Amino acid sequence: MVNKPIKKFRSGNIDVSIWSNKRKLHDDTEVEFKTVSLTRSYKKKDEDIWRSEVINLRRQDLPKITTLLN
């Protein structure tokens, strides 16, 4: 099974994907949580190959990022 994002947004060469994840705890209880991936696509000046940088964040990171960007 391929894990696909539950929502995806794009502006220019920047993508934001929201993922649903599951993890089993010590007592075998399964919990669901969301993560966010920021991807920037680019080409190097002398190359014709698309490259990308990815940053993965958890929900609690988003307010910190928003504060820094403001």
Side-chain angles (χ1 to χ4, degrees):
M1 184 171 98
V2 175
N3 190 17
K4 293 184 179 184
I6 57 175
K7 193 77 173 171
K8 197 167 186 175
F9 304 93
R10 183 179 184 94
S11 179
N13 65 331
I14 305 290
D15 287 313
V16 175
S17 299
I18 302 171
W19 303 86
S20 178
N21 303 279
K22 293 181 181 176
R23 176 176 288 158
K24 278 194 176 181
L25 301 177
H26 297 293
D27 63 358
D28 283 336
T29 305
E30 193 172 74
V31 293
E32 182 180 6
F33 60 97
K34 308 273 190 301
T35 56
V36 175
S37 297
L38 299 174
T39 305
R40 182 179 73 95
S41 300
Y42 64 95
K43 280 187 181 181
K44 284 194 171 183
K45 193 173 190 177
D46 299 333
E47 297 180 10
D48 196 31
I49 299 170
W50 279 99
R51 301 178 183 271
S52 62
E53 298 174 326
V54 179
I55 299 172
N56 295 307
L57 304 165
R58 294 211 174 176
R59 177 182 236 162
Q60 64 267 25
D61 298 327
L62 298 178
K64 299 169 193 170
I65 297 296
T66 301
T67 299
L68 292 169
L69 291 174
N70 283 329

